[in-house]
Amino acid sequence: SYHLPTQPLLELPLYNELINRKIHTSLVLMEGDPRLKTKTELANSIVLKKAKQLNEMISKDDVLICRFGYKGVIGDLAIPVKAAGKKVIMHDVGGVDIFFREVPATYLTAKTEWYKQQTLKKIGKKYKEIFPIGSIQFDEIFQLQNQQIDKTAFMKSYGLDPTKKLAILTPANPGEAHMVGIKDDYKKIVEIVEKCTKYELIIKGHPSDYALIKSQHYGGKHSWEVFAPKAKIVRPEEGYKALSVCDVVLNIRSSLAIEIPILRKPLININSNKYVVNWPKVNDLGVMKNIEMKDLEKVLNNNDYFVDQNKCLKHVKQYCDPVADGKAYVRLADAIQKIISRSII
């Protein structure tokens, strides 16, 4: 198999699982791809100069594995492979509606049965099979559920007062800054939390934001350098750790909202009705609270939010992972093995 990784370190469990099953797997990267910086020495990697090289390498018995996508590097590589009648499996990632548009895949995975049925309803039977297996993007956050992380030590490491509540702001992909008003809304949230003396604020950036991908809307800078230049920023490798110790998550339209119920953390979506969101926004107190900006200060000062454990688990199994065990990479490997063994026609 040929595996096109978009987040190599995140996808290594899948790679290792395939290798352990004696499925020869090569990681494929394009020359000049920034992800080359995180290439592991353990991985059997192929670096291509031109996308068409991959189609020439893949045989009818091989499988191209990549995340859900339709353009960019993914499109350049997958479109000719699919057009040649070869097998492509695209796996569902956290912040994408797989039923939004058809992609150049033979097989697809879905986070849950709900996404599979939505895809069949809106796209039709365009794929040979859709596997509802969860998302490997969520595996790490599931594994944090049972870990005890020292909140006091964490807050002190950022110079924050550990006697206060910790609120985390989660800006969306910086490429979404073209949406009129969203940058101003982020700035307003920061200003409001600063007035709430019982709280400390920290910002968890989107992966693309840390990497300065799609940063043109912020003048080539990290988004927070524009709307919150004095704010504390979560270190890139501590995103899930920060979420696991926080008291409340403040969100507008980031798809991170899908994952927060996994950690059973209070989630407040602010002004999200103004923007298009690509995740299931529910009106279910105990899972997430949807408010307008004008109500945020009052909600925070009154601690007017809570988590319902049972409702969150039900939400997770419906929209995140049907098993909720942090082992979607195993089920993805199962699907790949079935495809390779031709048990699915």
Side-chain angles (χ1 to χ4, degrees):
S1 67
Y2 292 85
H3 181 193
L4 173 64
T6 52
Q7 295 173 292
L9 298 182
L10 178 69
E11 297 175 34
L12 276 177
L14 171 63
Y15 171 83
N16 290 330
E17 181 70 19
L18 294 173
I19 294 298
N20 290 337
R21 297 185 187 203
K22 310 300 183 186
I23 299 173
H24 184 273
T25 304
S26 298
L27 294 183
V28 179
L29 294 167
M30 293 296 296
E31 193 172 84
D33 191 316
R35 284 172 280 266
L36 281 170
K37 295 177 182 178
T38 58
K39 185 182 73 170
T40 172
E41 295 300 323
L42 298 175
N44 178 22
S45 301
I46 298 173
V47 180
L48 304 178
K49 290 185 177 181
K50 296 182 179 180
K52 67 178 183 179
Q53 289 177 276
L54 182 61
N55 187 35
E56 295 167 356
M57 294 165 54
I58 292 181
S59 74
K60 295 284 185 180
D61 295 325
D62 293 327
V63 179
L64 172 61
I65 308 159
C66 57
R67 61 160 283 172
F68 181 90
Y70 61 95
K71 62 181 181 179
V73 174
I74 293 173
D76 291 343
L77 291 169
I79 290 172
V81 174
K82 169 77 184 312
K86 300 169 186 177
K87 296 182 281 290
V88 179
I89 180 169
M90 290 189 174
H91 56 88
D92 192 357
V93 292
V96 172
D97 279 343
I98 60 171
F99 47 81
F100 183 66
R101 57 163 56 84
E102 183 182 356
V103 291
T106 323
Y107 303 92
L108 201 62
T109 76
K111 288 186 279 289
T112 64
E113 184 67 26
W114 183 84
Y115 289 91
K116 176 180 177 178
Q117 293 305 320
Q118 291 294 313
T119 303
L120 291 172
K121 178 180 177 181
K122 296 184 179 183
I123 302 295
K125 295 182 178 181
K126 301 292 186 178
Y127 311 105
K128 287 190 175 181
E129 179 65 29
I130 301 175
F131 303 91
I133 62 168
S135 172
I136 63 173
Q137 182 174 324
F138 297 160
D139 285 350
E140 181 183 354
I141 198 168
F142 275 111
Q143 292 161 12
L144 277 174
Q145 285 180 308
N146 301 318
Q147 291 185 20
Q148 296 297 320
I149 298 174
D150 189 332
K151 178 185 175 184
T152 296
F154 177 84
M155 292 186 69
K156 284 184 176 180
S157 74
Y158 285 90
L160 301 173
D161 184 349
T163 66
K164 295 184 178 182
K165 289 181 175 291
L166 180 61
I168 292 187
L169 173 60
T170 57
N173 186 319
E176 309 303 333
H178 65 278
M179 294 187 176
V180 177
I182 197 164
K183 287 185 285 189
D184 293 332
D185 278 350
Y186 290 142
K187 184 177 180 180
K188 289 177 184 176
I189 291 172
V190 172
E191 292 171 348
I192 289 171
V193 179
E194 287 176 345
K195 291 192 293 183
C196 298
T197 57
K198 297 178 182 178
Y199 288 84
E200 290 277 26
L201 176 71
I202 198 166
I203 295 173
K204 181 205 171 298
H206 186 279
S208 293
D209 213 342
Y210 287 112
L212 288 176
I213 297 172
K214 300 182 180 179
S215 61
Q216 63 270 23
H217 296 291
Y218 292 96
K221 298 180 179 180
H222 300 292
S223 67
W224 54 82
E225 293 182 272
V226 176
F227 70 77
K230 296 182 180 180
K232 301 288 185 179
I233 311 301
V234 176
R235 300 175 191 100
E237 70 276 10
E238 292 190 327
Y240 282 149
K241 185 177 181 180
L243 291 168
S244 70
V245 301
C246 78
D247 295 287
V248 61
V249 178
L250 307 178
N251 182 53
I252 295 181
R253 66 168 308 279
S254 171
S255 59
L256 194 65
I258 304 174
E259 303 171 65
I260 302 307
I262 298 173
L263 289 174
R264 314 296 195 267
K265 291 293 179 178
L267 170 63
I268 301 176
N269 297 315
I270 306 152
N271 273 6
S272 57
N273 61 305
K274 290 170 52 178
Y275 309 100
V276 175
V277 299
N278 61 350
W279 41 271
K281 188 177 75 170
V282 299
N283 292 304
D284 193 348
L285 295 178
V287 177
M288 61 183 69
K289 187 181 183 78
N290 304 306
I291 67 170
E292 295 181 9
M293 185 73 72
K294 64 181 179 63
D295 298 319
L296 177 59
E297 186 173 358
K298 181 179 179 180
V299 167
L300 291 177
N301 284 332
N302 293 337
N303 299 322
D304 188 14
Y305 49 80
F306 67 97
V307 167
D308 185 304
Q309 299 285 334
N310 292 329
K311 284 186 176 181
C312 279
L313 180 59
K314 181 179 178 181
H315 181 89
V316 166
K317 288 188 173 182
Q318 183 172 1
Y319 297 115
C320 298
D321 189 309
V323 185
D325 63 352
K327 293 184 178 180
Y329 74 94
V330 174
R331 291 185 286 279
L332 178 50
D334 289 341
I336 293 166
Q337 193 160 32
K338 287 180 181 178
I339 294 168
I340 291 174
S341 66
R342 299 183 181 181
S343 60
I344 298 177
I345 306 299

